[in-house]
């Protein structure tokens, strides 16, 4: 690949632009946290932010409570209800783990 060399004037101009842009903390934070994926970052709705852990706990309790009669009776309806609740519980748990990992990465500076 051909290497492009900048003149001294262009290097000084570029350094000046970088210095001005680095003073903008909001821009610096946004640029440092950009992802390289194809899909845009989807942010959770603020009003549901605190409800996810409670929802996962409730779904887990309901699925465990439904698991016992499903095993004892062997009813296909109860078994399918348990499977659906358990799948929702795992989806919510995965969302929590992703959220916690993103928070941890933000705090550690990765």
């Amino acid at each position: 690949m051909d290497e492009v060399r900048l003149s001294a004037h262009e290097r000084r101009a570029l350094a000046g632009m970088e210095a001005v842009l680095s003073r903008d903390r909001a821009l610096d934070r946004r640029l440092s946290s950009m992802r390289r994926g194809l899909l845009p970052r989807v942010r959770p709705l603020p009003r549901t932010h605190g409800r996810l852990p409670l929802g996962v706990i409730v779904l887990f309790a309901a699925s465990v409570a439904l698991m016992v009669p499903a095993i004892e009776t062997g009813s296909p309806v109860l078994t399918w209800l348990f499977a659906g609740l358990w799948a929702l519980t795992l989806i919510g748990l995965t969302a929590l783990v992703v959220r916690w990992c993103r928070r941890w990465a933000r705090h550690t500076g990765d």
Side-chain angles (χ1 to χ4, degrees):
M1 216 166 131
D2 296 332
E3 185 176 323
V4 178
R5 296 188 184 267
L6 299 176
S7 68
H9 175 70
E10 290 171 331
R11 284 194 304 269
R12 283 193 304 273
L14 184 59
M17 285 187 270
E18 288 176 347
V20 169
L21 290 175
S22 68
R23 289 186 210 134
D24 186 357
R25 292 184 188 267
L27 177 64
D28 190 41
R29 185 174 43 251
R30 287 182 66 196
L31 290 174
S32 66
S33 66
M34 286 179 61
R35 295 185 334 166
R36 296 187 180 171
L38 297 175
L39 298 175
R41 176 175 282 178
V42 177
R43 296 188 184 273
L45 296 174
R47 63 179 178 210
T48 61
H49 186 71
R51 294 182 188 169
L52 185 59
L54 179 63
V56 170
I57 291 170
V58 169
L59 282 172
F60 178 75
S63 60
V64 168
L66 193 58
M67 179 181 61
V68 174
I71 291 173
E72 286 179 356
T73 62
S75 169
V77 174
L78 290 178
T79 303
W80 280 107
L81 283 174
F82 164 72
L85 275 178
W86 187 244
L88 289 174
T89 304
L90 292 179
I91 290 169
L93 187 61
T94 302
L96 275 177
V97 169
V98 168
R99 181 187 293 172
W100 291 333
C101 289
R102 284 184 181 165
R103 251 188 231 153
W104 180 74
R106 245 185 277 138
H107 290 299
T108 58
D110 290 342

